[in-house]
């Protein structure tokens, strides 16, 4: 035995022991091991782990419990680990054995509440690990029998999952609490890893079981199908019969039979079979050979359109013409021309009946009606479909529209065609080029079906609010019919014939319970709505009828109820729309212009003022570049006419001008306000107000010439609704006056002009007035 000395710490003693290196092996206290080493007569030794020539800082003091002689003369010893020991100074004896000074570190026997909590948590984690490993209970009982916390932590050394480095780290942790915390951390990591492995194993096992179960069930299903005569052969025969009855064109029939042969060869159990069956289902969903019996009666068609919609003569005339031509071709035996399809595009403000007239056209012609909303779509595949190589591929919207219609000659409405988007997935408007071209759409090819589809018999109706956002090549293929809005009289007729009965029925009222006069309808139109269409008007009528229905249901009024001025004011509140032309133009520097927008025509009041010190032209009101340039041209034109207008040349020196176009929150652009800006500036400089009955529109040049503009009908309707009786227009727009409704032409006097001189001569009052505007 070695020499022993007692250190200052009662639990630590120093002793000189023989060092026994353990190559890649860690022995913990309370472990029993047998090693083939010769320890001589030593009763105790220090077992130190060794790896790549490096020794651990802490070893295990072990006592020799038995010496064993092996066959062949070898020796072995049985050792029992006692406690930890820290190696100190080393020396070699005369026989070459290495002895070291060892500081013995038996575990501290003091146990507190925190340590007990760690013990319980450690046991729980170990028991969960043992449960995952399928322990029979003996190891769990062994762990439960250990009461010493240090010895409990050392049981982690038995774990085969811990690495050599982790075991050395655990051995070198002398403090019991720290050691137990480290052991708990290692066992938690081990538990997490085992749980993941268990989960993966269970998933794989369940997958295998599911496949085996499906296989057995499918075999049973095959047997049942054979007994019932519904096996794969019968499925193929069912498809073959449907294909024979579908009246497919020759090339389509060849494609269908080719795919059916593939299905028959590969069987019904392969993933590709599902793809083929879906393809055949879609191929059969197209209504080959099915057409609506078209009613070719122009008189009846006009009656239906007139019954459903007031006004809109342009589109009604075009549909009647299409029916009349088709009737003559059929009666005279002229062969059908696949390049003569009808593709109409209805452009106009919201609420003018563009979408609803599509249903009327379908009903008048005896065709089916399908509506496709294109607003906001960005994927070209929405039109042409996806190729079959993609998972979840589908045909495009046109094929689906034909399926929904059930015929090859429906009326298909492409709604909001001006709001199609585009991104990296493609440009849907480019895909529509083929669809909306009568010279090409008889051979439209969908990516999914990959066959030629004849769309020449389809009547396409596209709708939109403006043509500016429609790509040029697409617009070139369209026959554009403009919906420029309704006059007040037309709105009264629409409200009387359509909106009022519809809202009355929606609000649960009978015809004999409530009525309204045309005068009251006109009041609601002129003082509570400002729109080209009738949507807001219908909402206001709905409000009136809801409040009337409430009174009738509450027995606060007697039926029948007559809706007059008083009832409208009570239901709709204060007046919302005002005719303020006379008030706004009462001072010099304000002129009334006309504008066309995506929501219809509108009236603009252009204001001009000036101040000394400067030579700037300030423009406000969210004006676009074109409108800003028009203001600069207008100022230059007025300056060139200063002498003829009686304006002092010095009036422009050292003076800044400010032109403002209310409302400031709405963006504005375009050249048609040129003469209005020039008139406002001329009015400001001459102090002559603009006549309050006058509105104007026209582009101006530097020489003072007035150029033509677009959207005249919308602008005139807006001016008429605002109470304007004199409208100045460019001379070259005189021909467009034929589009103006006759009632408006009777109420409004038009003044075609060629130069700004003519505009100012008519628009300005003869005498100047005093003004607060500084000159």
């Amino acid at each position: 035995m070695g020499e022993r000395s007692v250190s200052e710490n009662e639990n630590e003693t120093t002793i000189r022991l023989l060092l026994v290196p353990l190559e890649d092996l860690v022995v913990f206290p309370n472990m029993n091991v047998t090693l083939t080493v010769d320890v001589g007569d030593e009763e105790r030794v220090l077992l130190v782990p060794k790896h790549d020539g490096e020794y651990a800082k802490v070893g295990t003091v072990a006592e020799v419990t038995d010496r064993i002689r092996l066959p062949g003369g070898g020796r072995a010893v049985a050792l029992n680990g006692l406690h930890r020991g820290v190696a100190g100074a080393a020396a070699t004896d005369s026989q070459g054995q290495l002895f070291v000074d060892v500081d013995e570190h038996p575990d501290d026997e003091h146990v507190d509440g925190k340590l007990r909590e760690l013990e319980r948590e450690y046991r729980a984690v170990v028991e969960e690990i043992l449960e995952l490993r399928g322990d029979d209970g003996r190891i769990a009982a062994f762990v439960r029998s250990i009461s010493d916390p240090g010895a409990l932590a050392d049981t982690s050394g038995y774990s085969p999952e811990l690495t050599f480095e982790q075991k050395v780290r655990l051995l070198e942790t002398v403090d019991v609490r720290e050691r137990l915390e480290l052991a708990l951390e290692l066992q938690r990591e081990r538990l997490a890893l085992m749980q993941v492995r268990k989960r993966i194993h269970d998933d794989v096992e369940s997958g295998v079981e599911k496949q085996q179960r499906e296989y057995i069930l499918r075999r049973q299903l095959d047997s049942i199908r054979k007994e019932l005569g519904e096996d794969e052969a019968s499925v193929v025969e069912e498809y073959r019969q449907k294909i024979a009855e579908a009246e497919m064109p020759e090339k389509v029939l060849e494609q269908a039979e080719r795919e059916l042969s593939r299905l028959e060869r590969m069987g019904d159990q392969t993933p590709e079979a599902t793809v083929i069956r879906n393809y055949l289902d879609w191929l059969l969903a197209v209504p080959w050979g099915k057409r609506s019996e078209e009613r070719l009666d122009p008189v009846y068609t006009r009656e239906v359109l007139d019954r459903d919609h007031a006004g809109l003569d342009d589109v009604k005339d075009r549909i009647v013409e299409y029916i009349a031509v088709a009737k003559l071709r059929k009666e005279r035996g002229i062969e059908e021309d696949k390049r003569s399809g009808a593709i109409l595009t209805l452009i106009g403000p919201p609420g003018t009946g563009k979408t609803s007239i599509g249903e009327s056209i379908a009903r008048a012609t005896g065709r089916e009606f399908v509506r496709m909303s294109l607003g906001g779509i960005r994927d070209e595949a929405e039109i042409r479909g996806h190729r079959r190589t993609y998972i979840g591929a589908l045909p495009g919207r046109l094929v689906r529209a034909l399926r929904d219609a059930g015929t090859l000659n429906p009326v298909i409405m492409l709604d909001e065609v001006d709001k199609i988007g585009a991104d990296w997935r493609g440009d849907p408007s480019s895909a529509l080029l083929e669809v909306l071209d009568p010279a090409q759409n008889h051979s439209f090819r969908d990516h999914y079906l990959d066959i030629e589809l004849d769309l020449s018999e389809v009547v396409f109706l596209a709708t939109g609010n403006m043509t500016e956002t429609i790509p040029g090549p697409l617009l070139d293929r369209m026959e554009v019919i403009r919906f420029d809005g309704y006059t007040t009289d037309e709105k009264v007729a629409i409200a009387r014939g359509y909106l009022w009965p519809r809202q009355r029925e929606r609000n649960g009222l009978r015809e004999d319970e409530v009525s309204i006069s045309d005068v009251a309808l006109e009041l609601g139109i002129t003082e509570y709505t400002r729109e080209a269409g009738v949507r807001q008007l219908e909402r206001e009528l709905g409000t009136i009828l809801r409040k009337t229905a409430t009174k009738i249901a509450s027995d606060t009024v007697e039926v029948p109820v007559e809706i007059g001025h008083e009832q409208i004011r009570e239901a709709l509140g204060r007046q919302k729309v005002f005719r303020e032309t006379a008030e706004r133009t009462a001072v010099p520097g304000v002129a009334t212009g006309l504008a066309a927008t995506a929501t219809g025509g509108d009236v603009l009041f252009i204001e001009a003022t000036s101040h000394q010190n400067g030579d700037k032209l300030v423009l406000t009101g969210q004006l676009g570049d074109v409108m800003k340039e028009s203001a600069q041209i207008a100022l230059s034109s007025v300056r060139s006419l200063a002498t003829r207008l009686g304006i002092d040349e010095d009036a422009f020196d050292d003076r800044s001008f400010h032109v403002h176009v209310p409302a400031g929150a709405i963006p504005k652009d375009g050249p048609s306000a040129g003469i209005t800006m020039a008139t406002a500036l001329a009015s400001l400089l001459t102090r002559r107000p603009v006549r309050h009955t006058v509105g104007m529109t026209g582009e101006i040049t530097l020489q003072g010439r007035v150029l033509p503009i677009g959207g005249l009908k919308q602008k005139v309707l807006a001016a008429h609704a605002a109470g304007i009786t004199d409208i100045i227009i460019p001379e070259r727009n005189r021909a467009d006056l034929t589009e103006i409704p006759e009632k408006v032409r009777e109420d409004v006097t038009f003044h075609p002009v060629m130069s700004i001189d003519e505009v100012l001569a008519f628009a300005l009052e003869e005498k100047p007035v005093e003004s607060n505007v500084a000159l």
Side-chain angles (χ1 to χ4, degrees):
M1 293 185 62
E3 300 176 356
R4 181 183 298 271
S5 64
V6 180
S7 67
E8 295 178 0
N9 190 330
E10 294 181 358
N11 291 326
E12 298 179 10
T13 57
T14 302
I15 188 173
R16 181 174 289 271
L17 297 176
L18 175 66
L19 187 145
V20 178
L22 304 177
E23 193 71 36
D24 294 332
L25 177 65
V26 183
V27 175
F28 287 86
N30 300 310
M31 278 190 180
N32 295 312
V33 293
T34 300
L35 302 176
T36 56
V37 295
D38 184 6
V39 298
D41 296 330
E42 297 295 322
E43 297 293 331
R44 290 189 177 189
V45 295
L46 181 66
L47 305 177
V48 180
K50 178 184 176 184
H51 178 71
D52 291 340
E54 293 187 4
Y55 290 88
K57 300 176 183 178
V58 178
T60 301
V61 178
E63 65 176 353
V64 179
T65 59
D66 193 12
R67 288 176 168 82
I68 305 168
R69 186 176 296 276
L70 300 175
R75 293 179 177 274
V77 289
L79 301 171
N80 176 39
L82 300 176
H83 48 256
R84 283 165 173 76
V86 180
T92 306
D93 66 1
S94 58
Q95 297 178 1
Q97 293 179 316
L98 183 63
F99 285 83
V100 294
D101 293 336
V102 179
D103 292 334
E104 296 182 288
H105 287 269
D107 289 340
D108 187 2
E109 297 181 359
H110 175 69
V111 179
D112 57 11
K114 174 66 175 176
L115 211 53
R116 290 300 183 197
E117 181 64 31
L118 288 172
E119 284 184 41
R120 285 192 292 271
E121 195 169 349
Y122 180 83
R123 285 192 174 92
V125 172
V126 170
E127 287 181 3
E128 196 167 349
I129 291 173
L130 294 173
E131 183 178 350
L132 288 174
R133 289 179 55 182
D135 176 47
D136 59 1
R138 289 181 293 177
I139 299 178
F142 167 70
V143 173
R144 284 195 294 270
S145 66
I146 300 173
S147 59
D148 181 56
L152 185 65
D154 288 340
T155 56
S156 294
Y158 291 100
S159 174
E161 285 86 0
L162 293 188
T163 64
F164 175 79
E165 289 77 10
Q166 289 174 327
K167 291 181 179 180
V168 170
R169 184 181 165 199
L170 187 66
L171 180 65
E172 291 178 344
T173 306
V174 177
D175 184 79
V176 175
R177 176 175 298 182
E178 293 179 2
R179 192 192 316 156
L180 192 55
E181 289 175 348
L182 175 60
L184 181 58
E185 178 186 345
L186 295 174
Q187 296 293 7
R188 280 176 176 164
E189 292 177 1
R190 182 182 169 202
L191 174 62
L193 182 61
M194 292 182 68
Q195 287 174 335
V196 171
R197 288 176 178 169
K198 179 74 163 53
R199 193 156 53 244
I200 293 172
H201 176 268
D202 291 345
D203 290 344
V204 172
E205 195 173 54
S206 64
V208 172
E209 290 177 354
K210 183 179 179 182
Q211 290 178 350
Q212 291 175 342
R213 180 171 173 270
E214 286 183 357
Y215 175 78
I216 294 171
L217 289 175
R218 288 189 184 280
R219 298 298 297 176
Q220 292 175 346
L221 185 61
D222 290 342
S223 300
I224 295 172
R225 280 179 174 174
K226 286 180 181 179
E227 292 294 328
L228 295 175
E230 297 177 358
D231 55 352
E232 289 178 15
S234 63
V235 171
V236 172
E237 285 301 320
E238 183 181 350
Y239 274 116
R240 185 168 283 116
Q241 182 179 354
K242 288 181 179 179
I243 291 171
E245 296 172 353
E247 301 181 33
M248 295 179 176
E250 183 178 352
K251 291 184 178 179
V252 179
L253 183 61
E254 290 176 2
Q255 174 73 4
E257 289 177 346
R258 190 159 49 245
E259 293 294 328
L260 186 61
S261 298
R262 288 182 61 205
L263 178 65
E264 191 173 14
R265 286 195 305 270
M266 70 177 50
D268 197 33
Q269 305 301 321
T270 61
E272 181 67 16
T274 304
V275 176
I276 296 174
R277 291 181 65 170
N278 286 338
Y279 176 79
L280 290 173
D281 288 339
W282 274 109
L283 208 58
L284 291 167
V286 177
W288 308 105
K290 295 180 182 177
R291 291 166 178 81
S292 299
E293 189 63 35
E294 199 169 17
R295 182 165 182 171
L296 302 177
D297 186 348
V299 177
Y300 170 77
T301 301
R302 185 67 190 223
E303 289 177 357
V304 172
L305 295 175
D306 286 337
R307 187 166 61 244
D308 290 350
H309 290 80
L312 309 180
D313 289 333
D314 291 345
V315 66
K316 291 178 182 177
D317 291 343
R318 182 64 183 85
I319 296 301
V320 171
E321 291 166 6
Y322 171 79
I323 295 297
V325 171
K327 179 182 180 182
L328 289 177
R329 292 178 67 92
K330 184 176 181 181
E331 290 177 349
R332 298 175 182 181
I334 301 175
E335 186 179 351
E336 185 178 354
D337 183 5
K338 290 189 175 183
R339 290 173 170 80
S340 62
I343 299 172
L344 306 181
T345 302
L346 314 179
I347 300 294
T352 51
K354 301 184 299 297
T355 302
S356 60
I357 201 172
E359 298 181 30
S360 298
I361 292 171
R363 189 161 54 252
T365 56
R367 295 175 177 233
E368 298 296 325
F369 176 76
V370 182
R371 175 177 169 271
M372 287 171 49
S373 179
L374 302 181
I377 70 166
R378 296 177 176 274
D379 191 353
E380 177 254 357
E382 288 281 344
I383 305 298
R384 288 189 175 276
H386 299 83
R387 300 194 183 278
R388 276 194 288 162
T389 51
Y390 296 106
I391 296 174
L394 285 174
R397 290 196 180 194
L398 284 166
V399 173
R400 284 179 271 171
L402 293 177
R403 177 202 61 183
D404 295 341
T407 64
L408 282 179
N409 63 339
V411 175
I412 295 181
M413 172 157 284
L414 307 176
D415 214 5
E416 309 295 354
V417 74
D418 59 328
K419 298 176 180 63
I420 296 177
D423 62 10
W424 56 270
R425 290 169 290 187
D427 185 357
S429 61
S430 299
L432 284 174
L433 293 177
E434 180 183 0
V435 176
L436 299 183
D437 190 346
Q440 301 180 48
N441 65 8
H442 63 280
S443 58
F444 172 76
R445 186 175 288 272
D446 183 88
H447 284 161
Y448 182 83
L449 296 181
D450 199 26
I451 54 172
E452 289 189 354
L453 197 61
D454 186 0
L455 301 178
S456 62
E457 298 180 60
V458 177
V459 174
F460 285 103
L461 290 176
T463 71
N465 297 130
M466 59 176 67
T467 57
E468 287 76 10
T469 55
I470 301 176
L474 183 60
L475 187 64
D476 182 61
R477 286 162 167 77
M478 298 174 172
E479 182 178 343
V480 177
I481 299 176
R482 295 193 176 274
F483 282 43
D484 292 316
Y486 300 107
T487 65
T488 301
D489 290 344
E490 287 174 336
K491 289 182 180 179
V492 170
I494 293 169
R496 171 69 62 196
Y498 307 98
L499 308 183
W500 181 261
R502 185 162 63 200
Q503 286 297 324
R504 185 181 60 216
E505 181 181 351
R506 287 179 181 176
N507 288 282
L509 296 173
R510 295 191 297 269
E511 185 177 358
D512 59 351
E513 289 181 322
V514 60
S515 61
I516 189 170
S517 65
D518 288 351
V519 176
L521 283 174
E522 187 172 346
L523 174 71
I525 292 167
T526 57
E527 296 190 5
Y528 290 92
T529 65
R530 177 179 287 170
E531 58 177 345
V534 291
R535 280 203 182 122
Q536 183 62 31
L537 173 60
E538 183 170 13
R539 282 192 287 268
E540 300 293 357
L541 294 178
T543 301
I544 294 170
L545 286 168
R546 282 196 305 274
K547 293 186 180 298
T548 303
T550 302
K551 291 180 179 179
I552 293 175
S554 305
D555 294 329
T556 56
V557 294
E558 294 184 1
V559 294
V561 177
E562 174 69 27
I563 303 297
H565 284 213
E566 183 179 343
Q567 288 77 16
I568 289 179
R569 297 276 189 228
E570 181 183 350
L572 302 183
R574 60 180 179 81
Q575 183 177 347
K576 298 176 183 177
V577 177
F578 299 90
R579 293 185 175 183
E580 51 185 352
T581 309
E583 179 184 350
R584 296 287 288 272
T585 59
V587 297
V590 181
T592 305
L594 307 178
T597 68
T599 58
D602 202 358
V603 175
L604 294 178
F605 295 101
I606 296 182
E607 304 171 347
T609 186
S610 68
H611 57 82
Q612 293 181 345
N613 301 325
D615 57 353
K616 296 180 180 179
L617 174 60
V618 180
L619 304 171
T620 55
Q622 281 209 60
L623 309 185
D625 291 340
V626 176
M627 203 165 184
K628 289 177 181 178
E629 292 173 358
S630 295
Q632 293 168 345
I633 295 170
L635 180 59
S636 299
S637 299
V638 172
R639 191 165 191 169
S640 66
L641 296 172
T643 304
R644 277 183 279 174
L645 293 172
I647 302 171
D648 189 353
E649 287 286 348
D650 297 336
F652 295 92
D653 296 337
D654 194 27
R655 180 170 297 278
S656 292
F657 291 89
H658 185 168
V659 176
H660 177 63
V661 186
I666 302 173
K668 312 166 192 70
D669 203 1
S672 62
I675 66 171
T676 314
M677 291 179 171
T679 303
L681 289 167
S683 171
L684 172 73
L685 292 166
T686 60
R687 297 184 184 275
R688 294 164 59 188
V690 179
R691 300 178 191 272
H692 67 85
T693 60
V694 174
M696 62 193 74
T697 179
E699 182 179 353
I700 190 173
T701 69
L702 278 174
Q703 285 76 33
R705 296 185 60 81
V706 179
L707 301 183
I709 45 81
L712 181 64
K713 184 178 178 181
Q714 293 185 37
K715 295 174 181 180
V716 170
L717 292 178
H720 180 254
I724 293 173
T725 58
D726 293 280
I727 299 178
I728 298 173
I729 63 171
E731 174 65 34
R732 288 166 60 182
N733 281 111
R734 183 191 290 269
D736 297 332
L737 293 178
T738 56
E739 300 178 0
I740 309 300
E742 184 178 351
K743 177 65 169 62
V744 177
R745 293 203 301 268
E746 292 174 358
D747 295 342
V748 176
T749 303
F750 295 93
H751 304 273
V753 297
M754 297 186 67
S755 67
I756 190 65
D757 291 335
E758 298 176 64
V759 175
L760 299 178
F762 179 79
L764 299 180
E765 297 281 2
E766 294 184 3
K767 295 181 180 181
V769 297
E770 292 297 324
S771 172
N772 295 328
V773 179
L775 291 176

